[in-house]
Amino acid sequence: MSRDPEIRPAESAEALQEAMAEGFGFDWTADHVTHLARTLELERTRCVFDGAQMVGTCGAHSLRLTVPGGSLPTGGTTFITVRATHRRQGLLRAMMRAHLDDVREREEPLAVLWASESGIYGRFGYGSAALAYRGRIERAHGAFARPVEAAGQLRQIDVEEARKLLPPIYERVLPERPGHIARSEAWWESHLADPVWERDGASKFRYVLYEEAGEPRGFLQYRIQTRWHDSGVPNHILSVVELQSVDAVARAALWRYALDVDLVGTVIAWNLPADDSLPWLLADARRYRPSWRDGLWLRLMDVPVALEGRRWETEGRIVFALRDELCPWNEGTWELEAGPDGARCCPSQAEPELRLGAEELGTVYLGGDRFAALAGAGRIEGSTDAIRRADRLFRWHCAPWCPEVF
Ligand SMILES: CC(C)(COP(=O)(O)OP(=O)(O)OC[C@H]1O[C@@H](n2cnc3c(N)ncnc32)[C@H](O)[C@@H]1OP(=O)(O)O)[C@@H](O)C(=O)NCCC(=O)NCCS
């Protein structure tokens, strides 16, 4: 593009879908538009136009994200594409500028996204903040070390019941796990919609509920991909879409169910928290094949509001110097004094004990990753003592995890 990009909201869901499908390289139908429109905030899109043609797409969801001990308004970046003819000319950079300005105007102290490739968003101050673990186990090796002592029952439910019974379970889990997103009715509608083009040859969603004395305490949402060996031996794949439970017993009961479905050869989960109990339930844990990838990326848009908006399990004080080229209002030296009763984060004249960039602060914010690991990679500077204190302070008792891509 020879002139400055013109950035404005998309005029319709259909126009956005058309340009986005081009950028991601898939064919779209009217059903895609219906699905997109469920959660679309058209006024928050920031698209690039070259004449009449939409050549760049960028959108945002107005989210509420669970952070350690609380939740904060959050701009959820989404729908990012640039048409292949217009790439590497600065269009993504221009859209991110417009998007970050919008998030700041709305006073959302955090911004989050899922990335198609892990090399893109660090430069925009986003850090990999919650990992997504993939787990795989052959059903033949699915025996548990100890029997599940579950007093409740499992019950298959259909999508109508899922619409009623899944949200209250999620509401109970939501505040406990940093990285979760509050789901509106429209988000549930989208989450359970199950369009055929998302099934990749597998079955529609199946739902199993774990109940005790009639009270729902956990659910498993999954698909089955039917497969038969040439010899006639069944070898189906059970893919866990989401497993949520209010306690460990419900979780174990649901895992037991997943590992006991006849004709299934392999159980795969595409996105589990780092501290999921499955490997510890198994009698032969070495047969479990975990691998991880980046999941939720997070950026602090307002450093004091974001840090004062989460909770802390121990007392601590740290002075750090932050680099944030794209959001210069965050730059400078900050003193964080935090403890179980809350935190105070103020500009400081003191000598910084740590030096880090916006990306690294985004990585450690939810309490999952370690200052020490980032320092070991040369990404945070500071004395061993300061790094250890920061690690103790930021740590949270459970791993951050985002159960859905948006
Ligand atoms: C990823 C994509 C949006 C980048 O758009 P673009 O307009 O070419 O990006 P820009 O020209 O603004 O590049 C901005 C910076 O990002 C870098 N960058 C762009 N795409 C990158 C990629 N895929 N991996 C790593 N870096 C990338 C550029 O080198 C540039 O770096 P610099 O300014 O720090 O030197 C575009 O390639 C695309 O549409 N890809 C397919 C769809 C997709 O993956 N979308 C992202 C969904 S999360």
Side-chain angles (χ1 to χ4, degrees):
M1 250 175 103
S2 48
R3 53 205 132 84
D4 276 350
E6 183 194 340
I7 299 186
R8 57 182 150 88
E11 61 272 21
S12 67
E14 189 164 352
L16 179 70
Q17 180 66 72
E18 191 275 330
M20 219 169 39
E22 194 53 47
F24 280 121
F26 65 87
D27 297 332
W28 62 283
T29 63
D31 193 39
H32 284 83
V33 182
T34 307
H35 193 56
L36 175 76
R38 288 191 172 102
T39 53
L40 176 63
E41 297 174 47
L42 204 54
E43 72 290 354
R44 287 201 76 168
T45 56
R46 296 286 179 273
C47 300
V48 181
F49 290 81
D50 187 358
Q53 189 179 48
M54 198 190 294
V55 294
T57 61
C58 169
H61 295 300
S62 308
L63 305 176
R64 190 151 192 107
L65 183 80
T66 304
V67 300
S71 68
L72 288 172
T74 299
T77 317
T78 185
F79 311 145
I80 298 273
T81 67
V82 170
R83 213 171 268 262
T85 46
H86 287 68
R87 288 185 185 153
R88 306 303 181 268
Q89 299 170 38
L91 266 54
L92 171 62
R93 192 167 275 283
M95 293 190 296
M96 288 306 290
R97 176 73 272 157
H99 169 63
L100 294 176
D101 290 345
D102 173 58
V103 174
R104 178 154 158 83
E105 267 166 38
R106 289 167 187 265
E107 298 184 358
E108 292 165 325
L110 300 173
V112 291
L113 56 82
W114 281 75
S116 62
E117 295 182 83
S118 61
I120 303 177
Y121 294 99
R123 62 172 52 73
F124 300 118
Y126 290 78
S128 161
L131 298 179
Y133 271 74
R134 184 174 188 274
R136 180 189 176 97
I137 178 86
E138 308 303 315
R139 194 165 70 91
H141 301 296
F144 281 179
R146 295 180 175 80
V148 179
E149 309 271 348
Q153 287 84 41
L154 294 162
R155 182 160 71 87
Q156 281 194 326
I157 55 172
D158 63 15
V159 66
E160 292 310 322
E161 256 196 300
R163 262 189 207 109
K164 285 191 219 105
L165 299 180
L166 269 47
I169 299 170
Y170 188 80
E171 289 299 314
R172 287 177 69 178
V173 172
L174 175 73
E176 303 300 325
R177 179 72 81 172
H180 272 45
I181 288 161
R183 291 181 188 161
S184 63
E185 226 170 276
W187 270 61
W188 273 108
E189 203 47 50
S190 176
H191 196 68
L192 306 182
D194 198 15
V196 174
W197 39 267
E198 275 196 346
R199 295 182 194 168
D200 203 18
S203 73
K204 65 181 183 182
F205 289 148
R206 303 280 199 268
Y207 302 94
V208 175
L209 204 64
Y210 174 77
E211 296 172 306
E212 278 179 21
E215 181 205 2
R217 296 180 66 82
F219 68 83
L220 171 66
Q221 180 185 15
Y222 67 98
R223 298 183 192 283
I224 300 271
Q225 185 143 28
T226 57
R227 286 202 182 159
W228 297 86
H229 284 308
D230 288 348
S231 57
V233 174
N235 192 26
H236 296 0
I237 295 172
L238 186 151
S239 297
V240 174
V241 177
E242 186 167 9
L243 192 164
Q244 294 280 12
S245 62
V246 303
D247 63 19
V249 171
R251 194 163 195 89
L254 289 162
W255 273 128
R256 191 62 268 150
Y257 170 87
L259 289 160
D260 283 341
V261 176
D262 282 341
L263 307 185
V264 168
T266 309
V267 174
I268 295 176
W270 73 278
N271 177 13
L272 294 172
D275 52 6
D276 185 66
S277 55
L278 180 59
W280 303 100
L281 289 166
L282 293 168
D284 187 1
R286 201 182 294 171
R287 299 284 183 167
Y288 179 64
R289 295 267 168 255
S291 58
W292 65 266
R293 52 157 288 179
D294 53 281
L296 191 75
W297 289 69
L298 182 146
R299 181 194 217 298
L300 279 73
M301 292 299 299
D302 185 324
V303 168
V305 174
L307 290 175
E308 290 173 7
R310 63 156 278 186
R311 291 291 165 263
W312 311 80
E313 286 175 343
T314 57
E315 304 268 347
R317 177 185 165 276
I318 198 91
V319 179
F320 62 93
L322 185 70
R323 296 181 303 277
D324 194 347
E325 205 187 314
L326 272 171
C327 299
W329 55 88
N330 285 334
E331 286 215 314
T333 301
W334 297 94
E335 177 181 328
L336 170 68
E337 197 158 3
D341 294 334
R344 211 175 45 87
C345 180
C346 303
S348 170
Q349 303 300 323
E351 184 58 24
E353 300 165 283
L354 294 177
R355 292 179 187 277
L356 72 168
E359 180 181 357
E360 286 70 37
L361 188 58
T363 294
V364 294
Y365 175 75
L366 293 179
D369 278 286
R370 314 272 288 179
F371 282 75
L374 292 167
R379 297 175 66 152
I380 295 181
E381 289 166 47
S383 67
T384 307
D385 170 63
I387 302 272
R388 283 189 186 157
R389 275 191 289 118
D391 260 334
R392 276 196 295 273
L393 183 59
F394 275 70
R395 208 164 163 67
W396 194 245
H397 62 266
C398 63
W401 175 54
C402 182
E404 68 207 297
V405 180
F406 49 83

